[in-house]
Every structure is written in structure tokens, then in C-alpha cells.
Amino acid sequence: MSGKLERARIGGADVASIKAPKAVAGAREISGARIYDVGQGDAIAVLNETGRTILQLDYGGRQENPFEGKSRAEIDGMLPVSTGALVMLTHWDEDHWSTGPKGDAARAVNWLVPRQVTSPRAVRFAADLKKVRCIPEARVGTVFEYRALNGDVILWQKIAKSSPSPSIHENCNRTGVAVALLRPSGGAGQVILLPGDAPFDEVPLFVALRSSGTTLTGLVAYHHGSKYPLRNGTRSLLRNWPVTPGGPCDIVFSYAAGNSYGHPHPDRYDTLTTRREIATPTLRKTKALYHDILFR
């Protein structure tokens, strides 16, 4: 994108202490991730053993979202966020937060967000949130762990620092947050990758998980399956990554049918040979609201 875009810097205080939300710490286990059909965008729930959302990752949906004409209460029901929950934002592109202002539930809970240089509209929304805290720039690269009672863990890290000047266009994709769900087993375990819009090979956490011997249960395609930027590194990272026994690796492409960006480009993932591709527009045709990627 051009550096001539109007940009502003996300305000708000840094979070003083990064620790697991009560819903995660009290969960017996983490069963997996629920990827909602929100049209162009991402909204992902991390689920406990009963299917309850214990952490909401992103809360977006732009082009062809299913929320038009719905009441605030209906939207809250379609993307449920319980009292005391945490919404974690991967980055400030609008298709990752735009459903927040449409309902009431998400705006009432805690938000943990990256500090980025982004659109003035995103900055205004962040300022309107009563319970928003930023990830300190000093903690960039640190891997944080939110652990359930059985040892299942939500791993995440902010990838890079934000631009020092609002006058410089920042690529939010590369300075956002990437998340992985891990069910440990021995020295490795099985993993579900939730990258936001960050290319997989630019996430040190993902590279380390690949090297540690984990098996791959599922993933959400970065940037809605886009081929931009053209990333041979993603194809290389996924090449011969062992798939968790018991089924193929689920690859979910979350995008709007007929979007102007040409998403998705599934060939970015063709080196992962044992795979099942799920597209959110196809879910809508069958009246499915979401797809679950579950540990085996």
C-alpha cells in the first residue's frame, strides 16, 4: 500500500501484567478453534472442553458479512462473547475488528491489542473501548503462554515493533500477533496455527513449533489465503510438516465470495499434502455458521 494513506497511532495504556484470562486458566482442556463465517475477515473462538469460548481472537467481517440488518442482540448471539472474556486482536486491519461496534457484548469486555500505526477509524474505535490495553513494545518476540488445567496451551507473540512515526505507512500484517494452540505430548504434541494476516515463516513461534516435532492438526490461512506477499517461505515451512494422526490437516480460508483481492490462492499450501480445504463461502451455502478445528 501507499505511504500516502492517512495513518494514526493506536493509543491506550500498556497492559501491566500479561497473564491467562480466568476462563482459560479454569478450563479443563482446550478443545480447539471455531472459525466463524464473517465474510471478508476473521473471527475465531478458542474453545474449552464443553465448547465454550474462553478467548476470542479477532472480531471482524467486512464485505459480505452476515450481520447486515441484524439487531445488536442478534449480532451478539452470532458471535458470542461472555462476560469476563478477553478479545485478543491480531492486528488493526478493519476486517479483523469491524463487528465490534455493531453489537454490545464485545465492547463490554477486555481487549488485548497490538500497538500499531493504522487507520484513524481504527484508532477512534480503540479509544471508544473502555477496557483496552496494548501489548508493550518491549515484549515483542516474547512467547506468552495461557495454559489450561490439563496442560493444553495458547501460545502467542507480537511479531515486530510498530512504526515509530504515524507518517510512515505500516504493514499491520507484519507487526501483529500470531497465535498457536498446542496440546503437548512428550516433547512435542499437536498444534493448530492461527496467524492473523502474518506469513507463517515470519512468525518465530511457528518456526520453533515446526522444529520441535509437533504434528499439524489444522490452520487458518494467513491473509484469507492471499498470495500477496508472495511467500515461498510459507510453502517451505509447511512442506513435510507431519499431520496429526487420525485425519487430514484442516486448512480454513476465511474470505468473502467474489472479493476484489482474488482470495484465496490455495497453491500457497500445496506442499502440505495431507490436507482438507474449507472455505467460509461454502459453509454459508450449507447454512453452517462456523467450522471447528479440534484436537484429536
Side-chain angles (χ1 to χ4, degrees):
M1 290 187 179
S2 169
K4 296 180 180 179
L5 290 173
E6 186 180 357
R7 314 302 285 173
R9 192 173 179 83
I10 293 293
D14 283 345
V15 64
S17 176
I18 298 177
K19 57 184 179 180
K22 290 181 179 179
V24 178
R28 289 200 301 273
E29 63 182 57
I30 296 168
S31 64
R34 173 164 292 166
I35 297 89
Y36 288 96
D37 167 26
V38 292
Q40 190 72 17
D42 272 355
I44 301 169
V46 178
L47 307 174
N48 71 359
E49 69 283 349
T50 66
R52 178 174 176 265
T53 299
I54 54 177
L55 183 143
Q56 178 68 36
L57 183 65
D58 289 338
Y59 206 79
R62 291 291 292 163
Q63 179 184 342
E64 288 197 357
N65 71 69
F67 310 117
E68 299 301 327
K70 303 292 185 182
S71 69
R72 304 184 78 82
E74 287 175 317
I75 292 171
D76 289 343
M78 294 169 75
L79 284 182
V81 178
S82 60
T83 302
L86 174 68
V87 176
M88 179 182 288
L89 202 65
T90 60
H91 64 292
W92 282 103
D93 284 347
E94 194 159 350
D95 56 343
H96 290 255
W97 61 265
S98 56
T99 304
K102 297 176 181 178
D104 294 316
R107 291 187 302 162
V109 304
N110 293 310
W111 285 60
L112 182 61
V113 305
R115 193 182 303 284
Q116 294 184 314
V117 177
T118 183
S119 70
R121 184 156 47 189
V123 173
R124 288 193 294 270
F125 172 68
D128 188 52
L129 291 169
K130 295 180 180 179
K131 301 177 181 179
V132 62
R133 291 293 184 271
C134 291
I135 300 159
E137 293 282 80
R139 306 304 295 275
V140 164
T142 303
V143 176
F144 293 93
E145 299 185 2
Y146 291 168
R147 193 172 295 273
L149 294 173
N150 73 334
D152 290 347
V153 61
I154 302 169
L155 302 168
W156 63 271
Q157 68 181 167
K158 188 175 188 296
I159 303 163
K161 290 185 178 181
S162 61
S163 171
S165 169
S167 66
I168 300 173
H169 171 65
E170 180 190 6
N171 184 335
C172 288
N173 303 349
R174 288 192 169 92
T175 62
V177 172
V179 177
L181 310 182
L182 175 66
R183 172 160 288 176
S185 178
Q190 53 177 304
V191 69
I192 298 168
L193 305 179
L194 309 172
D197 282 0
F200 284 74
D201 55 301
E202 292 191 359
V203 181
L205 167 62
F206 292 177
V207 175
L209 286 168
R210 175 67 176 90
S211 299
S212 71
T214 58
T215 61
L216 199 54
T217 300
L219 60 88
V220 174
Y222 83 86
H223 206 179
H224 320 291
S226 174
K227 67 179 180 181
Y228 302 107
L230 186 62
R231 300 301 306 184
N232 287 326
T234 287
R235 300 181 75 238
S236 178
L237 185 69
L238 295 177
R239 181 177 284 111
N240 299 323
W241 192 325
V243 171
T244 304
C249 172
D250 279 358
I251 302 177
V252 181
F253 297 95
S254 180
Y255 66 97
N259 67 86
S260 59
Y261 307 99
H263 300 158
H265 298 91
D267 62 301
R268 296 299 89 198
Y269 301 88
D270 61 8
T271 58
L272 185 64
T273 55
T274 308
R275 67 188 188 276
R276 174 175 60 173
E277 297 175 357
I278 298 100
T280 51
T282 302
L283 293 178
R284 192 173 301 192
K285 289 181 181 179
T286 61
K287 300 188 184 305
L289 301 178
Y290 51 78
H291 176 77
D292 288 348
I293 303 175
L294 302 176
F295 287 128
R296 300 176 188 136

